């Protein structure tokens, strides 16, 4: 899934088999649908969410924490983050790229391109719009019913094209709506920057990635929240 992760609460490690692992010779000769070239620059052509495609992630159990190596190590002269090992208690989560027009929130979040799970927010999806310049988070909505709907004004660009090792931007937005039928209103500031390039190793293989650091400051009345999250983003495969 090609998306950012501004409200990430779990550590996700891609556990999927590459989509072309069992291709026949005739399929392998076909022109690839996503032209990844490993140059540590993600263009619009290298961010193509396919409705109905899915990946399986390993995630630590809810309400637990795990240590994550943010520094990485140099392997054969290449900085590498290795998330291949499965930890005790890990659970598998399948994230499918959904067609937002098929769900109740379609009329509330118009212009959406796709929806995908929000890690750490069970039963909810982030709803995104993809344009030539960005992947933008329009809102968050529950799937089973209309109990949760949060909209962002303006939308939050979680990726801007081209995404390069020097990319950085700041967005101030207003989040409004409801969470499990309880009113939610907050002012949010996102400071997003690529802070590293390297290879990431997961059960699906090795991928060149850009690491995107997101600092979220949220103010909701007398309450405030400061959160830092990281997303390792690969050409074509996304987060």
């Amino acid at each position: 899934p090609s998306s950012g992760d501004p409200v990430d609460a779990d550590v996700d490690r891609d556990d999927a088999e590459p989509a072309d692992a069992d291709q026949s010779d005739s399929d392998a000769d076909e022109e690839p649908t996503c032209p990844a070239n490993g140059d540590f620059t993600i263009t619009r052509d290298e961010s193509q969410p396919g409705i109905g495609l899915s990946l399986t992630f390993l995630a630590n159990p809810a309400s637990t924490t795990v240590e994550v190596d943010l520094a990485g190590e140099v392997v054969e002269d290449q900085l590498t983050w290795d998330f291949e090992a499965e930890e005790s208690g890990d659970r598998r989560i399948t994230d499918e790229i959904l067609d937002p027009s098929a769900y109740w929130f379609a009329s509330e979040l118009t212009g959406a391109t796709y929806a995908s799970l929000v890690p750490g927010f069970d039963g909810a999806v982030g709803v995104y719009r993809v344009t030539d310049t960005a992947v933008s988070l329009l809102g968050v909505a529950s799937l089973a019913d209309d109990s949760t709907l949060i909209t962002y004004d303006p939308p939050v660009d979680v990726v801007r094209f081209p995404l390069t090792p020097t990319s950085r931007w700041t967005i101030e937005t207003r989040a409004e709506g409801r969470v499990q039928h309880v009113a939610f209103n907050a002012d949010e500031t996102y400071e997003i920057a690529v802070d590293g390039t390297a290879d990431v190793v997961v059960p699906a293989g090795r991928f060149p990635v850009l690491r995107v650091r997101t600092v979220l400051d949220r103010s909701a009345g007398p309450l405030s929240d400061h959160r830092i999250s990281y997303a390792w983003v690969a050409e074509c495969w996304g987060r």
Side-chain angles (χ1 to χ4, degrees), residues 152-167:
Y152 296 93
D153 185 18
V156 180
D157 293 346
V158 293
V159 171
R160 286 183 174 174
F161 301 121
L163 191 67
T164 73
T166 59
S167 293

Side-chain angles (χ1 to χ4, degrees), residues 56-126:
T56 299
F57 294 89
L58 295 174
N60 52 296
S63 302
T64 69
T65 59
V66 295
E67 291 187 4
V68 179
D69 176 16
L70 296 180
E73 61 178 331
V74 177
V75 178
E76 297 180 353
D77 298 324
Q78 177 62 54
L79 178 63
T80 302
W81 286 293
D82 191 339
F83 300 130
E84 187 171 22
E86 184 169 354
E87 303 290 339
S88 176
D90 273 353
R91 55 200 170 108
R92 281 173 166 75
I93 299 174
T94 298
D95 187 5
E96 181 179 357
I97 303 179
L98 303 174
D99 180 359
S101 67
Y103 292 88
W104 68 267
F105 49 79
S107 61
E108 303 286 346
L109 298 168
T110 57
T113 306
Y114 74 96
S116 64
L117 291 179
V118 177
F121 200 156
D122 290 344
V125 292

Side-chain angles (χ1 to χ4, degrees), residues 163-183:
L163 191 67
T164 73
T166 59
S167 293
R168 60 176 57 245
W169 63 95
T170 300
I171 292 179
E172 296 182 354
T173 187
R174 177 70 176 172
E176 296 185 329
R178 57 189 179 274
V179 177
Q180 297 179 348
H181 298 296
V182 177

